[in-house]
Amino acid sequence: MTSSTNPFGIFAGLASALIWGTGDFVGGVATRRSSQFKVVALSALAGICVIIPAAILAGESFPSGETIAWSLAAGISGAIGIAALYQGLARGEAATVAPTSAVVAAAVPVLIGSVLESLPAPADMIGILFGLVGIWLVSSTSSDRQVPARSGMTLGILAGAGFGAFFVLIAQVDEAVLFTPLVFVKVAALIFGVVVLLIQRNRLPSLTENPLALLSGVLDTGGNLFFLVASRATSLAVATILASMYPAVTVALSVVILHEPVNRRQGLGVILCVAAVGLISL
């Protein structure tokens, strides 16, 4: 039996938040250079190159057709979320889109569970309330930035819905396998990005045109792996709470490196959103 206070598990959970948050920041910067769908495709390709060796080293068997189907659906949902998140970050709305996406992503599984099973627990309800207040605060800007803020919040909600659906769908896969479902998740994301680019009559990206997109894919996959380690070295609830701190990293990097403005109300909103994710994940 694992302990919720296992130091290695806590370290792995914090590492996943740090890597995920950094990956989101890098992906947002990469999207300033090219289409978010090019970034999604390159990111997924890089993730495939990382996760396949991990699956081989783990000696996992080929997953069932049902697991593959759930994984592909999860991959498409996640890709939609990533595309929306990267677009919002590229517009300089990290303080709005990152915490909003985190709250919605955490709330979606709770709300779906309340419909299929039972009403949310008191901590979940308080967390959702904190999240709504936090989203309202992070969207508070001066009058000349109201339109970009609303756009960032819309993208954050779309991103969170995609991520939330990803969590629900990926939870349906066979528990006997861990890495191979992620291979199909990345394959689905790659196909999604390529198909959208073809529909838009946009050329496919080369492997060298946007190295930051490849880096974001490696970081995203690394965050996934550290989360898996954390969920086994400590309790799933603790791992989820720690990993869900990633928006704070994204916002901090955007403020420090890109000098994006964050007023006091937005800062308080970010804190409430992070607290909301923790409460919903309990």
Side-chain angles (χ1 to χ4, degrees), residues 37 52 69 74 79 117-118 139 158 174 215 221 238 256-257 261:
F37 299 109
I52 287 181
E117 298 174 3
S118 60
S139 64
L158 178 60
D174 185 357
L215 177 58
T221 304
V238 171
V256 173
I257 297 177

Side-chain angles (χ1 to χ4, degrees), residues 191-214:
I191 294 174
F192 170 81
V194 169
V195 169
V196 172
L197 290 173
L198 292 176
I199 292 175
Q200 295 178 338
R201 299 182 182 277
N202 204 341
R203 69 176 181 84
L204 299 180
S206 68
L207 294 178
T208 58
E209 75 174 61
N210 199 338
L212 287 179
L214 297 173

Side-chain angles (χ1 to χ4, degrees), residues 114-127:
S114 68
V115 173
L116 299 179
E117 298 174 3
S118 60
L119 292 176
D124 295 332
M125 296 299 295
I126 296 175

Side-chain angles (χ1 to χ4, degrees), residues 3 11 13 22 45 51 53 62 69 73 83-84 90 135 140 146 148-149 154 171 185-186 210 230 241 244 247:
S3 171
F11 165 78
T22 304
L45 182 60
I51 204 67
F62 198 78
I135 290 172
S140 301
Q146 285 182 357
T154 300
V185 164
K186 297 300 181 182
N210 199 338
I241 292 170
S244 295

Side-chain angles (χ1 to χ4, degrees), residues 166-184:
F166 170 84
F167 294 144
V168 173
L169 293 168
I170 201 64
Q172 311 305 314
V173 304
D174 185 357
E175 295 182 359
V177 289
L178 297 173
F179 297 102
T180 47
L182 293 180
V183 173
F184 289 96

Side-chain angles (χ1 to χ4, degrees), residues 95 99 103 130-131 133-139 263-275:
V103 170
F130 274 28
V133 176
I135 290 172
W136 175 69
L137 288 173
V138 298
S139 64
N263 59 42
R264 291 182 179 178
R265 288 166 63 89
Q266 288 178 308
L268 177 59
V270 171
I271 294 173
L272 284 177
C273 286
V274 171

